[in-house]
Amino acid sequence: MPLHVPPAPAPALRSVLTALASPTAVREARTPSLLRAQGPVTPELPLPVHVLDGTATRLAGWRFLIRCGERSVAAAETMLTPDGWAFSHFFEGPYIASTERALRQAEVMQQPYQPRLLSIPGLYMLALWLHGDCAADAATGRLAATDLLVPLAPAPPGIAAHRPHRAAELLPVLTHRVTPAPLLGSPA
């Protein structure tokens, strides 16, 4: 089943296109792959980035993979400001290829999903969140027990990258790991 990629807010896309057209923004990004790109670069596959706070999620931005020819060379992230959507930064690294791999895995699944990214800052972890409600507003929504989470590489020790997990199974493991252990001598 194909993935139902939600459309990004038009101002978020415009901010990325403006940054890509700016030699200063590209040069200051310190992304060698983007600087070396031969030919036109285009933002593709907009994914909402949600942050996990305890068991709740909140929209933090939109991420676009920046494609040059047949491959993604970088990513661009936008953020919501009091004035609306604004370009945040370009970056590269292992999460770009890992995101593409997870999306390819999701494309061949039997059930349709709406792809999102889920950031778990306390574990320095990013996962592809496959939301079961394809018609949902990508900017909102809670993790449903039946949603799938696919940890992206590099994943924290003990969590297998690119292995889909039901949210109901993985969330307790993640929240347990994020919760700091009590200090010695302090009341539990």
Side-chain angles (χ1 to χ4, degrees):
M1 290 261 159
L3 292 174
H4 296 270
V5 179
L13 176 59
R14 276 194 306 273
S15 72
V16 171
L17 290 169
T18 300
L20 282 170
S22 165
T24 304
V26 171
R27 189 174 45 254
E28 289 179 359
R30 293 186 176 86
T31 52
S33 296
L34 188 57
L35 287 169
R36 288 192 306 263
Q38 298 294 317
V41 291
T42 56
E44 295 182 359
L45 287 169
L47 295 172
V49 180
H50 293 261
V51 175
L52 183 65
D53 289 327
T55 57
T57 63
R58 66 175 169 77
L59 181 68
W62 282 80
R63 181 172 295 175
F64 298 79
L65 295 180
I66 306 299
R67 189 170 290 283
C68 181
E70 294 298 313
R71 66 185 200 93
S72 293
V73 295
E77 197 145 314
T78 63
M79 62 184 180
L80 191 56
T81 69
D83 294 326
W85 289 100
F87 171 75
S88 175
H89 61 282
F90 291 116
F91 64 94
E92 60 184 60
Y95 284 130
I96 295 167
S98 189
T99 300
E100 287 185 310
R101 178 180 169 185
L103 287 166
R104 281 192 305 274
Q105 284 179 276
E107 278 284 340
V108 298
M109 293 181 174
Q110 296 300 313
Q111 182 178 340
Y113 289 102
Q114 182 189 83
R116 303 170 175 196
L117 292 172
L118 183 65
S119 174
I120 302 102
L123 294 176
Y124 301 99
M125 180 179 167
L126 189 63
L128 180 64
W129 170 10
L130 298 171
H131 191 51
D133 183 359
C134 295
D137 179 356
T140 62
R142 302 182 126 261
L143 269 164
T146 56
D147 286 351
L148 294 180
L149 296 175
V150 182
L152 300 181
I159 297 175
H162 296 286
R163 183 172 169 255
H165 301 270
R166 293 246 177 255
E169 298 164 0
L170 188 58
L171 276 180
V173 173
L174 298 178
T175 54
H176 175 71
R177 285 180 149 203
V178 171
T179 305
L183 297 174
L184 290 176
S186 64

